[in-house]
Amino acid sequence: MVQQLTTDTILGRLSESIPVIASQSPTPHRLYIEVPKDRVKEACRILFEDLQGRYTITVGTDRRPVNGKFEVLHFFSFDRDNIRMAVRVFLDPDDLTLESITPVIPGAGWAEREIQDLVGIRVIGHPDPRPLALPDGFPEGLYPLRKDYPYNYQPPLDEGKTFPFKEPPPDATVVTVGPFFPVLEEPSQWRLFVDGEIVVGCDYRGFYNHRAIEKLGDSVLTYNQIVFLAERICGICGCVHSTSYCQAVEEAAGIEVPLRARVIRSLILELERVHSHLLWLGLACHIVGFDYGFMQSWRIREPVMWLAEYLTGSRKHFSINLVGGVRRDIVPDQFDRILSVADDVDRQTNELVKAIQDDTALIARLKGVGIFTPEEVRLSGAVGPTARGSGVAIDARRDHPYAAYDLLQFEVVTHDGCDTLARTLVRIGEIFESLKMIRQCVNLLKDIPVGDLLGEIPEEIPPLKDGMHAVEAPRGEVFHYVLTGYENRPYRWRVRAPSYQNIQSVPMMFKEGTYLADVPITLGSVDPCFSCTERMEVVDQGRSQSYTLEEKDLLRLSRSKYRALKATERK
Amino acid sequence: MKEGFIRKFHSKAFGRSLWVFHTNVGACNGCDIEVLDVLTPFFDVERFGIKLVGSPRHADVLLVTGPVTRPMVEPLKRLYEAVPSPKLVVAIGACAVGGCVWFDTYNVIGGVDKVIPVDIYIPGCPPKPEAIIYGVALALGLVPKKVGPAIESHEIPMEVEDILKELTPSRPVALPVNPDGKNDNGKQDGEGA
């Protein structure tokens, strides 16, 4: 039996080897500790390795207007014990360096590169200190997230600078994929190193979608405007961002949300999960060339979108949340339609899943592809179905209950397959769990008397209070950190989307012997969907020839494999 | 005369099935999945011959979503050049139309028309699939325009009319019909047939 952790035991364990400067535990589930600058790595190592905490994110803040210092926070989660904590360190503006924790926690790689780019804190000992977030040629010495940087200043870019891509291994061919991914997700660029058809390595350049959301949040907008900005972080799972942001502010300001509002939040979140998972299922089928599945699953999904529009007024950005509660009630007249849509989706998804599971060629395309072991999940900090497909049962809904999830009965769907098939099955299982929860939410709403939808909100939200909260999005855990500020807006707001960790884990899934034709579905399986790659440039190093493959060629490669499997099956 | 001329040009250039290439230059995916949604059974634009293609070289129409982030400016220009003329550009969503909430932040250009010429704007955050279909139908001339320019700037000069009369009806040529030297598509280089 592993010892149950509390905030006190964590603090005690850390104090044994590290001089803790200050600690603060506003609730039994939250802990903030301040450590000296030279002991940060050691503290993170203890939390990550000895206490088996899950790394969440690193946040850098320019606190100069307040106390003349910079601040870095490393966040960890203890999912079994419902504790979230932060290791805080203050840095002097004259010596803006910090020891990197990436050698211990590989999942911190991007977050540390990001504070280097945006806040200007130099990370020492980082294995890959290349720029990450800003466009190529952004002038050095300018850091957008510092308080003295105006949100709308666009410095001239140095045209001559290009991104320092990794050198491919000798004798490998470079396949550039991107930066346009025209059908679904953000533009990003992958450089795959291939030997024949076998992938031997890869390099990633992303952040083409960096829209300065956090900067807008802490310099222009107000608390309640950010809710709608947060929703526009992602068009597929926007509601999780706004819920998570609202909960972080509510935690910092001590606002109590009425029960009816919490149930409505849960209902909308589950509705969003159903549509997102059906969307993903369709795209996964599309990637491997099973277009019947694509069309069917989007057909099943459409009534869910209509229901969302009926309940909230919008198909995508539901705009249902406000700090302190929700904007709209769900009235008894609407219950019947919710239940009938849930029944229809349940029945039709069952039929579709049968068709998918009977298709041996499809199963063969998914099974054993993109192996991702539980140990790699821990190292990379992957979350959501990506982690649960490797048998790691982490789910913010169960581990850190929020909204009305403490009142709902549901199972955390996991699978031990560790491959793309497992991740698919987890998502399929979650569709049914979500439908179950939608029905429970409707039953709860029947019992809860109609009343306030907004909690008591103080005249002024007190400044410099920390709040962190996470919501289980369709893709994994969305984490928001808010430091309240002056003038009715946060001082610092940090968003960690699940794909931030999941995309970092993709290189780990390209195991030895991965075929080029399996790359799209492996990338797709973590759900930064990759269905239509615009253009690939193949450079054959040995013959120094260069030719261009287009998206249809990559899809053809992916699909012809499916057809070949189908043909062998018929024989 | 002018209506007939423009319609003739359209029916010649974009008369049959439209092939569209869809690109995201910083969008949140909201518009992107709505664009994909119009291809699926409930909306099914393939019945109009509209088909999503994988390469800009095959496309007649460029659908652009997103407010154009700074790293995407050059790729978007290259993409525009890769689409063969005559071409249409459709800006989908509030971001592509005018930059949405992030129109002036440090990493956003704010609107597709600041980088490449845009023909059709489909506002909405995100626009409904019906709105996207309507916008493309407008581009094709299948539905009448709700608003137009107040000043009669489309009048074709007498000399041009004379030239047009001489041309065979099967081979209309897109001539500069606007005072600024652009044809009705906003392009300099639209060659009729």
Side-chain angles (χ1 to χ4, degrees), chain A residues 495-561:
Chain A
V495 183
R496 203 288 318 265
S499 296
Y500 199 84
Q501 297 303 126
N502 289 349
I503 293 177
Q504 288 184 68
S505 65
V506 167
M508 294 182 183
M509 293 182 192
F510 295 146
K511 292 273 156 36
E512 216 171 295
T514 301
Y515 283 98
L516 192 55
D518 287 333
V519 165
I521 186 63
T522 307
L523 281 164
S525 75
V526 304
D527 202 358
C529 258
F530 190 88
S531 49
C532 271
T533 333
E534 182 244 341
R535 186 174 153 274
M536 337 198 305
E537 195 172 338
V538 178
V539 182
D540 196 322
Q541 299 264 305
R543 285 175 291 168
S544 49
Q545 281 177 343
S546 156
Y547 57 100
T548 299
L549 279 182
E550 275 155 2
E551 166 269 344
K552 60 177 177 12
D553 301 312
L554 184 64
L555 268 185
R556 195 186 60 216
L557 206 60
S558 177
R559 287 166 175 191
S560 58
K561 192 169 172 189

Side-chain angles (χ1 to χ4, degrees), chain A residues 27-328:
Chain A
T27 70
H29 307 300
R30 297 287 183 267
L31 177 66
Y32 297 86
I33 54 164
E34 191 191 332
V35 298
K37 183 182 158 184
D38 50 344
R39 308 300 295 274
V40 175
K41 194 178 175 185
E42 175 67 8
C44 291
R45 195 197 58 76
I46 291 171
L47 291 169
F48 186 70
E49 285 180 357
D50 298 355
L51 296 175
Q52 296 285 308
R54 179 168 58 82
Y55 171 76
T56 314
I57 193 62
T58 297
V59 182
T61 312
D62 174 9
R63 281 226 198 188
R64 280 176 301 169
V66 181
N67 63 2
K69 293 198 168 155
F70 281 84
E71 178 200 57
V72 174
L73 289 160
H74 293 297
F75 286 90
F76 291 87
S77 290
F78 295 90
D79 296 311
R80 197 172 36 103
D81 309 300
N82 186 8
I83 294 172
R84 289 185 187 278
M85 66 164 301
V87 177
R88 170 177 280 150
V89 57
F90 283 109
L91 301 176
D92 206 43
D94 301 329
D95 180 24
L96 276 182
T97 53
L98 186 68
E99 203 176 354
S100 170
I101 60 166
T102 309
V104 185
I105 308 167
W110 279 18
E112 288 195 326
R113 281 164 72 183
E114 197 180 311
I115 59 170
Q116 209 162 242
D117 276 15
L118 298 180
V119 195
I121 295 167
R122 213 151 56 77
V123 184
I124 311 253
H126 193 293
D128 180 17
R130 294 176 299 167
L132 179 77
L134 291 174
D136 299 336
F138 200 85
E140 280 181 34
L142 280 178
Y143 304 106
L145 278 186
R146 287 193 180 179
K147 288 289 165 189
D148 50 8
Y149 188 99
Y151 79 97
N152 57 0
Y153 174 55
Q154 297 192 353
L157 299 184
D158 182 355
E159 299 288 336
K161 268 199 180 162
T162 50
F163 187 74
F165 280 109
K166 273 186 207 162
E167 280 298 313
D171 298 335
T173 303
V174 181
V175 180
T176 311
V177 182
F180 280 122
F181 291 79
V183 166
L184 242 211
E185 297 273 329
E186 61 212 334
S188 61
Q189 192 174 352
W190 292 85
R191 277 163 66 90
L192 302 169
F193 307 142
V194 295
D195 182 5
E197 270 205 50
I198 310 280
V199 178
V200 291
C202 72
D203 193 11
Y204 172 82
R205 163 77 172 133
F207 283 76
Y208 290 109
N209 265 14
H210 182 72
R211 284 161 292 172
I213 295 172
E214 289 171 10
K215 185 72 183 175
L216 273 180
D218 54 30
S219 60
V220 184
L221 303 179
T222 62
Y223 281 116
N224 260 341
Q225 288 174 329
I226 294 174
V227 182
F228 306 102
L229 180 72
E231 210 145 57
R232 279 156 182 79
I233 292 172
C234 177
I236 303 171
C237 51
C239 189
V240 294
H241 283 283
S242 70
T243 312
S244 184
Y245 161 78
C246 287
Q247 287 172 349
V249 176
E250 283 151 14
E251 182 184 299
I255 299 168
E256 197 70 38
V257 181
L259 180 62
R260 197 174 173 84
R262 290 198 283 137
V263 176
I264 292 173
R265 275 184 184 173
S266 283
L267 197 158
I268 300 293
L269 287 172
E270 290 312 314
L271 210 58
E272 194 173 65
R273 190 181 323 275
V274 171
H275 103 67
S276 176
H277 279 347
L278 282 171
L279 178 150
W280 179 84
L281 189 62
L283 282 165
C285 290
H286 178 64
I287 294 170
V288 295
F290 185 56
D291 267 354
Y292 168 81
F294 171 48
M295 291 296 170
Q296 290 300 330
S297 100
W298 282 60
R299 179 183 61 77
I300 298 167
R301 170 182 169 271
E302 198 56 33
V304 182
M305 306 308 294
W306 293 336
L307 178 64
E309 190 179 4
Y310 173 64
L311 294 177
T312 66
S314 180
R315 287 165 58 93
K316 287 282 150 57
H317 302 305
F318 303 138
S319 305
I320 191 94
N321 286 307
L322 277 182
V323 172
V326 294
R327 293 172 67 222
R328 277 174 185 242

Side-chain angles (χ1 to χ4, degrees), chain A residues 154-155 182 208 235 302 315 551, chain B residues 22 28 34 37 54 69-70 108:
Chain A
Q154 297 192 353
Y208 290 109
E302 198 56 33
R315 287 165 58 93
E551 166 269 344
Chain B
H22 166 216
C28 70
E34 294 294 47
D37 209 24
T69 54
R70 292 188 81 186
V108 169

Side-chain angles (χ1 to χ4, degrees), chain B residues 138-152:
Chain B
L138 199 68
L140 288 172
L142 298 177
V143 285
K145 276 185 188 171
K146 282 183 179 168
V147 287
I151 310 153
E152 201 59 41

Side-chain angles (χ1 to χ4, degrees), chain B residues 142-181:
Chain B
L142 298 177
V143 285
K145 276 185 188 171
K146 282 183 179 168
V147 287
I151 310 153
E152 201 59 41
S153 61
H154 285 281
E155 200 134 304
I156 300 170
M158 285 298 286
E159 321 72 284
V160 180
E161 246 176 82
D162 291 336
I163 301 167
L164 277 171
K165 271 179 203 157
E166 285 172 24
L167 290 168
T168 48
S170 62
R171 212 181 136 69
V173 178
L175 292 165
V177 287
N178 283 348
D180 56 359

